[in-house]
Amino acid sequence: MLASGFALFALHQPQEVQSSAYRLALCVHSGAFGLACLLLAAHIPMAFLSRQSLKAMLSLGKGFLTEQEAMKHAALWVKGDLEIERNAFERQSDQNQTILREKRLN
């Protein structure tokens, strides 16, 4: 959309003498704008169908999904996020253990 908009700006021509390149850029730009509007119009109702996700995104209430709700919507992402959190927790625990050992030795 940005490229076609720039092309329209660069190729700006009066209505009577529009080249085929200008018309092509106009068609691409109009099509991209229409597609963007269509995607937006499709996603708004989908957000209202999933109230739990909408609450979490808009931070209405606690701003969090339960793990069970999240697993229904995006199980792979949840598993990946939980694995990352577990790894970070384990690393932090290992660091804490190392610090305690060093303190005991001193």
Side-chain angles (χ1 to χ4, degrees), residues 49-106:
L49 290 175
S50 176
R51 294 219 185 252
Q52 286 294 112
S53 297
L54 184 64
K55 284 181 186 178
M57 285 186 286
L58 298 177
S59 294
L60 301 174
K62 291 184 281 183
F64 295 99
L65 285 174
T66 64
E67 186 176 339
Q68 292 79 18
E69 281 292 324
M71 288 294 274
K72 287 181 195 174
H73 296 290
L76 186 60
W77 287 1
V78 172
K79 287 177 186 174
D81 286 348
L82 289 176
E83 184 178 333
I84 290 169
E85 289 294 321
R86 277 190 213 105
N87 291 342
F89 181 73
E90 287 172 5
R91 269 186 270 130
Q92 185 64 40
S93 295
D94 291 344
Q95 288 174 352
N96 290 344
Q97 295 276 338
T98 305
I99 291 170
L100 285 174
R101 279 188 215 120
E102 288 174 0
K103 284 183 178 181
R104 286 181 196 153
L105 293 175
N106 292 333

Side-chain angles (χ1 to χ4, degrees), residues 9-47:
F9 178 76
L11 297 172
H12 180 69
Q13 298 171 345
Q15 189 73 20
E16 307 84 45
V17 287
Q18 291 179 347
S19 67
S20 58
Y22 181 81
R23 287 187 182 174
L24 176 66
L26 185 60
C27 288
V28 168
H29 192 70
S30 299
F33 181 75
L35 183 62
C37 290
L38 179 67
L39 289 172
L40 179 65
H43 280 81
I44 290 173
M46 287 171 37

